Amino acid sequence: MNAKKQPEFEPAEPQDAVSAPAEEWVRLFIKHLELNALDAIRDLSSDATDFELRAAMARAILATYVDSGMDVESALEAFGQATVERETPTPAWTEALNQRRFELIDKKIQAELTVAESIELARLTSLMRNHIDSDENLPMKGAQALHRRLLHSDSTSEHG
């Protein structure tokens, strides 16, 4: 009886594989998240509501970010960014959004900002940064004119 030899399977390397340090960070993050989640639910009563459980998980996630070296404000900004990325389409930056951002900054300075408002501020800050960094805000015409002038002056200095 001749048994066919099965072809050896070698998984292909993914094109966009994450780096070893990034993979290690994710593994440690998940391990810490599990530990923080267990600590968070340990304090809940057996008849905890869904809201209480979700709040405990939110605390565990935030604690895990802090354990990873991220400050609370940066973690909230990451949540704000994730909120922006979930939205389809991302809202356009407007003067009204900018005004709301200023209001929230004032509340933060006065130490009156709620957690929900902190996340809203992080979201608005992310939207503002994306708007500022967008191509529509780059002074391309002026930069292109300067580039042409520099190229022209460089070519005349080489020939002159």
PDB file of all heavy atoms in Angstrom, residues 92-129:
ATOM      1  N   ALA A  92     -17.349  66.883   9.164  1.00  0.00           N
ATOM      2  CA  ALA A  92     -16.435  67.958   8.772  1.00  0.00           C
ATOM      3  C   ALA A  92     -16.226  68.881   9.964  1.00  0.00           C
ATOM      4  O   ALA A  92     -17.132  69.089  10.777  1.00  0.00           O
ATOM      5  CB  ALA A  92     -17.023  68.735   7.600  1.00  0.00           C
ATOM      6  N   TRP A  93     -15.022  69.411  10.074  1.00  0.00           N
ATOM      7  CA  TRP A  93     -14.709  70.336  11.152  1.00  0.00           C
ATOM      8  C   TRP A  93     -15.438  71.651  10.888  1.00  0.00           C
ATOM      9  O   TRP A  93     -15.363  72.200   9.794  1.00  0.00           O
ATOM     10  CB  TRP A  93     -13.208  70.553  11.226  1.00  0.00           C
ATOM     11  CG  TRP A  93     -12.791  71.384  12.398  1.00  0.00           C
ATOM     12  CD1 TRP A  93     -12.269  72.641  12.364  1.00  0.00           C
ATOM     13  CD2 TRP A  93     -12.886  71.032  13.774  1.00  0.00           C
ATOM     14  NE1 TRP A  93     -12.032  73.089  13.631  1.00  0.00           N
ATOM     15  CE2 TRP A  93     -12.404  72.121  14.527  1.00  0.00           C
ATOM     16  CE3 TRP A  93     -13.347  69.904  14.448  1.00  0.00           C
ATOM     17  CZ2 TRP A  93     -12.346  72.110  15.916  1.00  0.00           C
ATOM     18  CZ3 TRP A  93     -13.292  69.895  15.826  1.00  0.00           C
ATOM     19  CH2 TRP A  93     -12.800  70.985  16.552  1.00  0.00           C
ATOM     20  N   THR A  94     -16.159  72.116  11.882  1.00  0.00           N
ATOM     21  CA  THR A  94     -16.944  73.340  11.731  1.00  0.00           C
ATOM     22  C   THR A  94     -16.624  74.303  12.866  1.00  0.00           C
ATOM     23  O   THR A  94     -16.032  73.914  13.886  1.00  0.00           O
ATOM     24  CB  THR A  94     -18.458  73.040  11.769  1.00  0.00           C
ATOM     25  OG1 THR A  94     -18.778  72.510  13.077  1.00  0.00           O
ATOM     26  CG2 THR A  94     -18.873  72.065  10.689  1.00  0.00           C
ATOM     27  N   GLU A  95     -17.060  75.528  12.700  1.00  0.00           N
ATOM     28  CA  GLU A  95     -16.883  76.535  13.754  1.00  0.00           C
ATOM     29  C   GLU A  95     -17.661  76.123  15.000  1.00  0.00           C
ATOM     30  O   GLU A  95     -17.216  76.359  16.127  1.00  0.00           O
ATOM     31  CB  GLU A  95     -17.336  77.907  13.250  1.00  0.00           C
ATOM     32  CG  GLU A  95     -17.073  79.026  14.236  1.00  0.00           C
ATOM     33  CD  GLU A  95     -15.617  79.150  14.692  1.00  0.00           C
ATOM     34  OE1 GLU A  95     -14.706  78.964  13.859  1.00  0.00           O
ATOM     35  OE2 GLU A  95     -15.380  79.403  15.895  1.00  0.00           O
ATOM     36  N   ALA A  96     -18.817  75.481  14.829  1.00  0.00           N
ATOM     37  CA  ALA A  96     -19.616  75.023  15.979  1.00  0.00           C
ATOM     38  C   ALA A  96     -18.858  73.958  16.773  1.00  0.00           C
ATOM     39  O   ALA A  96     -18.862  73.978  18.015  1.00  0.00           O
ATOM     40  CB  ALA A  96     -20.962  74.474  15.501  1.00  0.00           C
ATOM     41  N   LEU A  97     -18.197  73.029  16.076  1.00  0.00           N
ATOM     42  CA  LEU A  97     -17.402  72.016  16.774  1.00  0.00           C
ATOM     43  C   LEU A  97     -16.221  72.672  17.490  1.00  0.00           C
ATOM     44  O   LEU A  97     -15.875  72.287  18.613  1.00  0.00           O
ATOM     45  CB  LEU A  97     -16.903  70.953  15.785  1.00  0.00           C
ATOM     46  CG  LEU A  97     -17.960  70.037  15.182  1.00  0.00           C
ATOM     47  CD1 LEU A  97     -17.333  69.098  14.158  1.00  0.00           C
ATOM     48  CD2 LEU A  97     -18.668  69.246  16.269  1.00  0.00           C
ATOM     49  N   ASN A  98     -15.621  73.664  16.846  1.00  0.00           N
ATOM     50  CA  ASN A  98     -14.503  74.368  17.459  1.00  0.00           C
ATOM     51  C   ASN A  98     -14.969  75.098  18.724  1.00  0.00           C
ATOM     52  O   ASN A  98     -14.293  75.058  19.753  1.00  0.00           O
ATOM     53  CB  ASN A  98     -13.891  75.353  16.461  1.00  0.00           C
ATOM     54  CG  ASN A  98     -12.504  75.776  16.859  1.00  0.00           C
ATOM     55  OD1 ASN A  98     -11.726  74.991  17.378  1.00  0.00           O
ATOM     56  ND2 ASN A  98     -12.190  77.035  16.613  1.00  0.00           N
ATOM     57  N   GLN A  99     -16.139  75.723  18.649  1.00  0.00           N
ATOM     58  CA  GLN A  99     -16.696  76.425  19.810  1.00  0.00           C
ATOM     59  C   GLN A  99     -16.964  75.450  20.945  1.00  0.00           C
ATOM     60  O   GLN A  99     -16.663  75.730  22.102  1.00  0.00           O
ATOM     61  CB  GLN A  99     -17.978  77.173  19.425  1.00  0.00           C
ATOM     62  CG  GLN A  99     -18.539  78.017  20.537  1.00  0.00           C
ATOM     63  CD  GLN A  99     -17.571  79.088  21.027  1.00  0.00           C
ATOM     64  OE1 GLN A  99     -16.886  79.729  20.242  1.00  0.00           O
ATOM     65  NE2 GLN A  99     -17.495  79.268  22.329  1.00  0.00           N
ATOM     66  N   ARG A 100     -17.521  74.275  20.616  1.00  0.00           N
ATOM     67  CA  ARG A 100     -17.783  73.260  21.644  1.00  0.00           C
ATOM     68  C   ARG A 100     -16.473  72.804  22.276  1.00  0.00           C
ATOM     69  O   ARG A 100     -16.391  72.611  23.490  1.00  0.00           O
ATOM     70  CB  ARG A 100     -18.527  72.066  21.024  1.00  0.00           C
ATOM     71  CG  ARG A 100     -18.767  70.920  21.977  1.00  0.00           C
ATOM     72  CD  ARG A 100     -19.655  71.303  23.146  1.00  0.00           C
ATOM     73  NE  ARG A 100     -19.873  70.150  24.006  1.00  0.00           N
ATOM     74  CZ  ARG A 100     -20.176  70.237  25.281  1.00  0.00           C
ATOM     75  NH1 ARG A 100     -20.354  71.407  25.860  1.00  0.00           N
ATOM     76  NH2 ARG A 100     -20.347  69.146  25.996  1.00  0.00           N
ATOM     77  N   ARG A 101     -15.441  72.650  21.467  1.00  0.00           N
ATOM     78  CA  ARG A 101     -14.133  72.251  21.987  1.00  0.00           C
ATOM     79  C   ARG A 101     -13.621  73.289  22.978  1.00  0.00           C
ATOM     80  O   ARG A 101     -13.111  72.949  24.048  1.00  0.00           O
ATOM     81  CB  ARG A 101     -13.145  72.048  20.837  1.00  0.00           C
ATOM     82  CG  ARG A 101     -11.814  71.517  21.275  1.00  0.00           C
ATOM     83  CD  ARG A 101     -10.940  71.161  20.062  1.00  0.00           C
ATOM     84  NE  ARG A 101      -9.605  70.966  20.533  1.00  0.00           N
ATOM     85  CZ  ARG A 101      -8.689  71.951  20.681  1.00  0.00           C
ATOM     86  NH1 ARG A 101      -8.980  73.180  20.335  1.00  0.00           N
ATOM     87  NH2 ARG A 101      -7.500  71.692  21.155  1.00  0.00           N
ATOM     88  N   PHE A 102     -13.762  74.578  22.649  1.00  0.00           N
ATOM     89  CA  PHE A 102     -13.349  75.646  23.568  1.00  0.00           C
ATOM     90  C   PHE A 102     -14.136  75.585  24.879  1.00  0.00           C
ATOM     91  O   PHE A 102     -13.573  75.766  25.958  1.00  0.00           O
ATOM     92  CB  PHE A 102     -13.515  77.022  22.927  1.00  0.00           C
ATOM     93  CG  PHE A 102     -12.493  77.334  21.866  1.00  0.00           C
ATOM     94  CD1 PHE A 102     -12.850  78.073  20.757  1.00  0.00           C
ATOM     95  CD2 PHE A 102     -11.181  76.888  21.958  1.00  0.00           C
ATOM     96  CE1 PHE A 102     -11.920  78.373  19.768  1.00  0.00           C
ATOM     97  CE2 PHE A 102     -10.240  77.179  20.978  1.00  0.00           C
ATOM     98  CZ  PHE A 102     -10.616  77.920  19.880  1.00  0.00           C
ATOM     99  N   GLU A 103     -15.439  75.318  24.788  1.00  0.00           N
ATOM    100  CA  GLU A 103     -16.264  75.202  25.994  1.00  0.00           C
ATOM    101  C   GLU A 103     -15.760  74.072  26.890  1.00  0.00           C
ATOM    102  O   GLU A 103     -15.678  74.220  28.107  1.00  0.00           O
ATOM    103  CB  GLU A 103     -17.723  74.940  25.617  1.00  0.00           C
ATOM    104  CG  GLU A 103     -18.427  76.106  24.958  1.00  0.00           C
ATOM    105  CD  GLU A 103     -19.768  75.713  24.350  1.00  0.00           C
ATOM    106  OE1 GLU A 103     -20.254  74.577  24.583  1.00  0.00           O
ATOM    107  OE2 GLU A 103     -20.343  76.549  23.612  1.00  0.00           O
ATOM    108  N   LEU A 104     -15.430  72.946  26.262  1.00  0.00           N
ATOM    109  CA  LEU A 104     -14.946  71.800  27.035  1.00  0.00           C
ATOM    110  C   LEU A 104     -13.576  72.080  27.637  1.00  0.00           C
ATOM    111  O   LEU A 104     -13.296  71.656  28.769  1.00  0.00           O
ATOM    112  CB  LEU A 104     -14.919  70.551  26.158  1.00  0.00           C
ATOM    113  CG  LEU A 104     -16.295  70.046  25.717  1.00  0.00           C
ATOM    114  CD1 LEU A 104     -16.155  68.922  24.696  1.00  0.00           C
ATOM    115  CD2 LEU A 104     -17.119  69.591  26.914  1.00  0.00           C
ATOM    116  N   ILE A 105     -12.730  72.790  26.917  1.00  0.00           N
ATOM    117  CA  ILE A 105     -11.412  73.160  27.459  1.00  0.00           C
ATOM    118  C   ILE A 105     -11.595  74.061  28.674  1.00  0.00           C
ATOM    119  O   ILE A 105     -10.914  73.874  29.700  1.00  0.00           O
ATOM    120  CB  ILE A 105     -10.546  73.827  26.369  1.00  0.00           C
ATOM    121  CG1 ILE A 105     -10.119  72.795  25.331  1.00  0.00           C
ATOM    122  CG2 ILE A 105      -9.319  74.497  26.997  1.00  0.00           C
ATOM    123  CD1 ILE A 105      -9.463  73.392  24.090  1.00  0.00           C
ATOM    124  N   ASP A 106     -12.521  75.012  28.587  1.00  0.00           N
ATOM    125  CA  ASP A 106     -12.809  75.872  29.741  1.00  0.00           C
ATOM    126  C   ASP A 106     -13.265  75.047  30.940  1.00  0.00           C
ATOM    127  O   ASP A 106     -12.813  75.277  32.072  1.00  0.00           O
ATOM    128  CB  ASP A 106     -13.880  76.912  29.392  1.00  0.00           C
ATOM    129  CG  ASP A 106     -13.364  78.017  28.490  1.00  0.00           C
ATOM    130  OD1 ASP A 106     -12.124  78.190  28.404  1.00  0.00           O
ATOM    131  OD2 ASP A 106     -14.192  78.717  27.865  1.00  0.00           O
ATOM    132  N   LYS A 107     -14.148  74.071  30.708  1.00  0.00           N
ATOM    133  CA  LYS A 107     -14.619  73.218  31.796  1.00  0.00           C
ATOM    134  C   LYS A 107     -13.476  72.395  32.378  1.00  0.00           C
ATOM    135  O   LYS A 107     -13.415  72.178  33.588  1.00  0.00           O
ATOM    136  CB  LYS A 107     -15.735  72.285  31.309  1.00  0.00           C
ATOM    137  CG  LYS A 107     -17.056  72.994  31.076  1.00  0.00           C
ATOM    138  CD  LYS A 107     -18.142  72.034  30.684  1.00  0.00           C
ATOM    139  CE  LYS A 107     -18.731  71.429  31.941  1.00  0.00           C
ATOM    140  NZ  LYS A 107     -19.934  70.629  31.677  1.00  0.00           N
ATOM    141  N   LYS A 108     -12.551  71.966  31.513  1.00  0.00           N
ATOM    142  CA  LYS A 108     -11.399  71.194  31.987  1.00  0.00           C
ATOM    143  C   LYS A 108     -10.519  72.064  32.885  1.00  0.00           C
ATOM    144  O   LYS A 108     -10.079  71.619  33.947  1.00  0.00           O
ATOM    145  CB  LYS A 108     -10.600  70.665  30.797  1.00  0.00           C
ATOM    146  CG  LYS A 108      -9.420  69.820  31.201  1.00  0.00           C
ATOM    147  CD  LYS A 108      -8.704  69.273  29.996  1.00  0.00           C
ATOM    148  CE  LYS A 108      -7.529  68.421  30.441  1.00  0.00           C
ATOM    149  NZ  LYS A 108      -6.815  67.848  29.300  1.00  0.00           N
ATOM    150  N   ILE A 109     -10.269  73.295  32.466  1.00  0.00           N
ATOM    151  CA  ILE A 109      -9.460  74.222  33.257  1.00  0.00           C
ATOM    152  C   ILE A 109     -10.104  74.473  34.620  1.00  0.00           C
ATOM    153  O   ILE A 109      -9.417  74.562  35.644  1.00  0.00           O
ATOM    154  CB  ILE A 109      -9.250  75.548  32.486  1.00  0.00           C
ATOM    155  CG1 ILE A 109      -8.345  75.295  31.280  1.00  0.00           C
ATOM    156  CG2 ILE A 109      -8.668  76.637  33.387  1.00  0.00           C
ATOM    157  CD1 ILE A 109      -8.276  76.438  30.285  1.00  0.00           C
ATOM    158  N   GLN A 110     -11.433  74.540  34.644  1.00  0.00           N
ATOM    159  CA  GLN A 110     -12.164  74.782  35.889  1.00  0.00           C
ATOM    160  C   GLN A 110     -12.396  73.493  36.681  1.00  0.00           C
ATOM    161  O   GLN A 110     -13.083  73.502  37.690  1.00  0.00           O
ATOM    162  CB  GLN A 110     -13.490  75.455  35.570  1.00  0.00           C
ATOM    163  CG  GLN A 110     -13.329  76.823  34.953  1.00  0.00           C
ATOM    164  CD  GLN A 110     -14.627  77.349  34.353  1.00  0.00           C
ATOM    165  OE1 GLN A 110     -15.710  76.867  34.675  1.00  0.00           O
ATOM    166  NE2 GLN A 110     -14.513  78.329  33.476  1.00  0.00           N
ATOM    167  N   ALA A 111     -11.840  72.375  36.193  1.00  0.00           N
ATOM    168  CA  ALA A 111     -11.984  71.063  36.837  1.00  0.00           C
ATOM    169  C   ALA A 111     -13.445  70.653  36.967  1.00  0.00           C
ATOM    170  O   ALA A 111     -13.855  70.066  37.961  1.00  0.00           O
ATOM    171  CB  ALA A 111     -11.275  71.039  38.190  1.00  0.00           C
ATOM    172  N   GLU A 112     -14.248  70.953  35.955  1.00  0.00           N
ATOM    173  CA  GLU A 112     -15.670  70.604  35.945  1.00  0.00           C
ATOM    174  C   GLU A 112     -16.025  69.639  34.824  1.00  0.00           C
ATOM    175  O   GLU A 112     -17.201  69.411  34.547  1.00  0.00           O
ATOM    176  CB  GLU A 112     -16.511  71.879  35.792  1.00  0.00           C
ATOM    177  CG  GLU A 112     -16.362  72.862  36.933  1.00  0.00           C
ATOM    178  CD  GLU A 112     -17.101  74.165  36.694  1.00  0.00           C
ATOM    179  OE1 GLU A 112     -17.664  74.347  35.598  1.00  0.00           O
ATOM    180  OE2 GLU A 112     -17.097  75.004  37.612  1.00  0.00           O
ATOM    181  N   LEU A 113     -15.023  69.078  34.172  1.00  0.00           N
ATOM    182  CA  LEU A 113     -15.248  68.208  33.022  1.00  0.00           C
ATOM    183  C   LEU A 113     -15.640  66.807  33.484  1.00  0.00           C
ATOM    184  O   LEU A 113     -14.964  66.205  34.311  1.00  0.00           O
ATOM    185  CB  LEU A 113     -13.961  68.150  32.180  1.00  0.00           C
ATOM    186  CG  LEU A 113     -14.064  67.725  30.736  1.00  0.00           C
ATOM    187  CD1 LEU A 113     -14.889  68.728  29.931  1.00  0.00           C
ATOM    188  CD2 LEU A 113     -12.673  67.630  30.132  1.00  0.00           C
ATOM    189  N   THR A 114     -16.751  66.286  32.941  1.00  0.00           N
ATOM    190  CA  THR A 114     -17.155  64.915  33.260  1.00  0.00           C
ATOM    191  C   THR A 114     -16.345  63.942  32.404  1.00  0.00           C
ATOM    192  O   THR A 114     -15.678  64.351  31.445  1.00  0.00           O
ATOM    193  CB  THR A 114     -18.654  64.702  32.971  1.00  0.00           C
ATOM    194  OG1 THR A 114     -18.864  64.796  31.550  1.00  0.00           O
ATOM    195  CG2 THR A 114     -19.522  65.703  33.719  1.00  0.00           C
ATOM    196  N   VAL A 115     -16.412  62.675  32.714  1.00  0.00           N
ATOM    197  CA  VAL A 115     -15.702  61.670  31.925  1.00  0.00           C
ATOM    198  C   VAL A 115     -16.224  61.662  30.494  1.00  0.00           C
ATOM    199  O   VAL A 115     -15.440  61.625  29.532  1.00  0.00           O
ATOM    200  CB  VAL A 115     -15.837  60.266  32.570  1.00  0.00           C
ATOM    201  CG1 VAL A 115     -15.245  59.202  31.673  1.00  0.00           C
ATOM    202  CG2 VAL A 115     -15.179  60.246  33.937  1.00  0.00           C
ATOM    203  N   ALA A 116     -17.542  61.716  30.335  1.00  0.00           N
ATOM    204  CA  ALA A 116     -18.117  61.732  28.983  1.00  0.00           C
ATOM    205  C   ALA A 116     -17.631  62.948  28.211  1.00  0.00           C
ATOM    206  O   ALA A 116     -17.319  62.862  27.017  1.00  0.00           O
ATOM    207  CB  ALA A 116     -19.642  61.719  29.057  1.00  0.00           C
ATOM    208  N   GLU A 117     -17.544  64.091  28.891  1.00  0.00           N
ATOM    209  CA  GLU A 117     -17.046  65.297  28.230  1.00  0.00           C
ATOM    210  C   GLU A 117     -15.558  65.185  27.908  1.00  0.00           C
ATOM    211  O   GLU A 117     -15.102  65.727  26.905  1.00  0.00           O
ATOM    212  CB  GLU A 117     -17.322  66.532  29.094  1.00  0.00           C
ATOM    213  CG  GLU A 117     -18.796  66.895  29.146  1.00  0.00           C
ATOM    214  CD  GLU A 117     -19.109  67.972  30.168  1.00  0.00           C
ATOM    215  OE1 GLU A 117     -18.391  68.053  31.196  1.00  0.00           O
ATOM    216  OE2 GLU A 117     -20.082  68.716  29.946  1.00  0.00           O
ATOM    217  N   SER A 118     -14.799  64.473  28.735  1.00  0.00           N
ATOM    218  CA  SER A 118     -13.381  64.249  28.447  1.00  0.00           C
ATOM    219  C   SER A 118     -13.223  63.466  27.152  1.00  0.00           C
ATOM    220  O   SER A 118     -12.360  63.776  26.328  1.00  0.00           O
ATOM    221  CB  SER A 118     -12.712  63.474  29.585  1.00  0.00           C
ATOM    222  OG  SER A 118     -12.666  64.241  30.743  1.00  0.00           O
ATOM    223  N   ILE A 119     -14.058  62.466  26.975  1.00  0.00           N
ATOM    224  CA  ILE A 119     -14.007  61.676  25.743  1.00  0.00           C
ATOM    225  C   ILE A 119     -14.467  62.525  24.562  1.00  0.00           C
ATOM    226  O   ILE A 119     -13.875  62.475  23.486  1.00  0.00           O
ATOM    227  CB  ILE A 119     -14.838  60.385  25.893  1.00  0.00           C
ATOM    228  CG1 ILE A 119     -14.162  59.474  26.927  1.00  0.00           C
ATOM    229  CG2 ILE A 119     -14.998  59.671  24.559  1.00  0.00           C
ATOM    230  CD1 ILE A 119     -14.962  58.265  27.323  1.00  0.00           C
ATOM    231  N   GLU A 120     -15.499  63.335  24.774  1.00  0.00           N
ATOM    232  CA  GLU A 120     -15.958  64.237  23.712  1.00  0.00           C
ATOM    233  C   GLU A 120     -14.843  65.213  23.324  1.00  0.00           C
ATOM    234  O   GLU A 120     -14.600  65.458  22.137  1.00  0.00           O
ATOM    235  CB  GLU A 120     -17.202  65.005  24.159  1.00  0.00           C
ATOM    236  CG  GLU A 120     -17.735  65.947  23.097  1.00  0.00           C
ATOM    237  CD  GLU A 120     -18.904  66.793  23.568  1.00  0.00           C
ATOM    238  OE1 GLU A 120     -19.297  66.702  24.755  1.00  0.00           O
ATOM    239  OE2 GLU A 120     -19.421  67.576  22.739  1.00  0.00           O
ATOM    240  N   LEU A 121     -14.150  65.768  24.323  1.00  0.00           N
ATOM    241  CA  LEU A 121     -13.044  66.688  24.051  1.00  0.00           C
ATOM    242  C   LEU A 121     -11.941  65.986  23.280  1.00  0.00           C
ATOM    243  O   LEU A 121     -11.398  66.535  22.317  1.00  0.00           O
ATOM    244  CB  LEU A 121     -12.498  67.278  25.358  1.00  0.00           C
ATOM    245  CG  LEU A 121     -11.285  68.192  25.229  1.00  0.00           C
ATOM    246  CD1 LEU A 121     -11.567  69.374  24.312  1.00  0.00           C
ATOM    247  CD2 LEU A 121     -10.841  68.662  26.621  1.00  0.00           C
ATOM    248  N   ALA A 122     -11.627  64.763  23.675  1.00  0.00           N
ATOM    249  CA  ALA A 122     -10.597  63.996  22.953  1.00  0.00           C
ATOM    250  C   ALA A 122     -11.025  63.752  21.513  1.00  0.00           C
ATOM    251  O   ALA A 122     -10.215  63.863  20.582  1.00  0.00           O
ATOM    252  CB  ALA A 122     -10.335  62.673  23.671  1.00  0.00           C
ATOM    253  N   ARG A 123     -12.285  63.448  21.321  1.00  0.00           N
ATOM    254  CA  ARG A 123     -12.815  63.220  19.973  1.00  0.00           C
ATOM    255  C   ARG A 123     -12.726  64.497  19.139  1.00  0.00           C
ATOM    256  O   ARG A 123     -12.273  64.480  17.998  1.00  0.00           O
ATOM    257  CB  ARG A 123     -14.267  62.741  20.066  1.00  0.00           C
ATOM    258  CG  ARG A 123     -14.956  62.553  18.761  1.00  0.00           C
ATOM    259  CD  ARG A 123     -16.412  62.101  18.992  1.00  0.00           C
ATOM    260  NE  ARG A 123     -17.151  62.244  17.773  1.00  0.00           N
ATOM    261  CZ  ARG A 123     -17.785  63.362  17.395  1.00  0.00           C
ATOM    262  NH1 ARG A 123     -17.764  64.426  18.166  1.00  0.00           N
ATOM    263  NH2 ARG A 123     -18.435  63.402  16.259  1.00  0.00           N
ATOM    264  N   LEU A 124     -13.131  65.603  19.734  1.00  0.00           N
ATOM    265  CA  LEU A 124     -13.083  66.874  19.014  1.00  0.00           C
ATOM    266  C   LEU A 124     -11.642  67.295  18.716  1.00  0.00           C
ATOM    267  O   LEU A 124     -11.350  67.825  17.641  1.00  0.00           O
ATOM    268  CB  LEU A 124     -13.804  67.972  19.812  1.00  0.00           C
ATOM    269  CG  LEU A 124     -15.323  67.824  19.892  1.00  0.00           C
ATOM    270  CD1 LEU A 124     -15.905  68.851  20.857  1.00  0.00           C
ATOM    271  CD2 LEU A 124     -15.961  67.931  18.522  1.00  0.00           C
ATOM    272  N   THR A 125     -10.748  67.041  19.655  1.00  0.00           N
ATOM    273  CA  THR A 125      -9.333  67.358  19.433  1.00  0.00           C
ATOM    274  C   THR A 125      -8.783  66.534  18.279  1.00  0.00           C
ATOM    275  O   THR A 125      -8.052  67.049  17.424  1.00  0.00           O
ATOM    276  CB  THR A 125      -8.522  67.117  20.721  1.00  0.00           C
ATOM    277  OG1 THR A 125      -9.032  67.979  21.739  1.00  0.00           O
ATOM    278  CG2 THR A 125      -7.041  67.398  20.512  1.00  0.00           C
ATOM    279  N   SER A 126      -9.155  65.281  18.224  1.00  0.00           N
ATOM    280  CA  SER A 126      -8.715  64.419  17.126  1.00  0.00           C
ATOM    281  C   SER A 126      -9.262  64.916  15.792  1.00  0.00           C
ATOM    282  O   SER A 126      -8.536  64.978  14.794  1.00  0.00           O
ATOM    283  CB  SER A 126      -9.168  62.986  17.394  1.00  0.00           C
ATOM    284  OG  SER A 126      -8.788  62.148  16.345  1.00  0.00           O
ATOM    285  N   LEU A 127     -10.547  65.274  15.774  1.00  0.00           N
ATOM    286  CA  LEU A 127     -11.147  65.819  14.546  1.00  0.00           C
ATOM    287  C   LEU A 127     -10.427  67.091  14.102  1.00  0.00           C
ATOM    288  O   LEU A 127     -10.134  67.278  12.925  1.00  0.00           O
ATOM    289  CB  LEU A 127     -12.628  66.149  14.768  1.00  0.00           C
ATOM    290  CG  LEU A 127     -13.629  65.017  14.670  1.00  0.00           C
ATOM    291  CD1 LEU A 127     -15.008  65.496  15.118  1.00  0.00           C
ATOM    292  CD2 LEU A 127     -13.690  64.470  13.263  1.00  0.00           C
ATOM    293  N   MET A 128     -10.119  67.962  15.077  1.00  0.00           N
ATOM    294  CA  MET A 128      -9.439  69.215  14.763  1.00  0.00           C
ATOM    295  C   MET A 128      -8.057  68.941  14.180  1.00  0.00           C
ATOM    296  O   MET A 128      -7.664  69.534  13.186  1.00  0.00           O
ATOM    297  CB  MET A 128      -9.316  70.086  16.012  1.00  0.00           C
ATOM    298  CG  MET A 128      -8.587  71.397  15.762  1.00  0.00           C
ATOM    299  SD  MET A 128      -7.777  72.096  17.217  1.00  0.00           S
ATOM    300  CE  MET A 128      -6.692  70.786  17.716  1.00  0.00           C
ATOM    301  N   ARG A 129      -7.322  68.022  14.812  1.00  0.00           N
ATOM    302  CA  ARG A 129      -5.976  67.692  14.315  1.00  0.00           C
ATOM    303  C   ARG A 129      -6.038  67.117  12.905  1.00  0.00           C
ATOM    304  O   ARG A 129      -5.214  67.452  12.060  1.00  0.00           O
ATOM    305  CB  ARG A 129      -5.283  66.734  15.266  1.00  0.00           C
ATOM    306  CG  ARG A 129      -4.841  67.399  16.540  1.00  0.00           C
ATOM    307  CD  ARG A 129      -4.124  66.450  17.454  1.00  0.00           C
ATOM    308  NE  ARG A 129      -3.727  67.133  18.659  1.00  0.00           N
ATOM    309  CZ  ARG A 129      -3.522  66.546  19.813  1.00  0.00           C
ATOM    310  NH1 ARG A 129      -3.660  65.237  19.919  1.00  0.00           N
ATOM    311  NH2 ARG A 129      -3.168  67.242  20.862  1.00  0.00           N
TER     312      ARG A 129
END
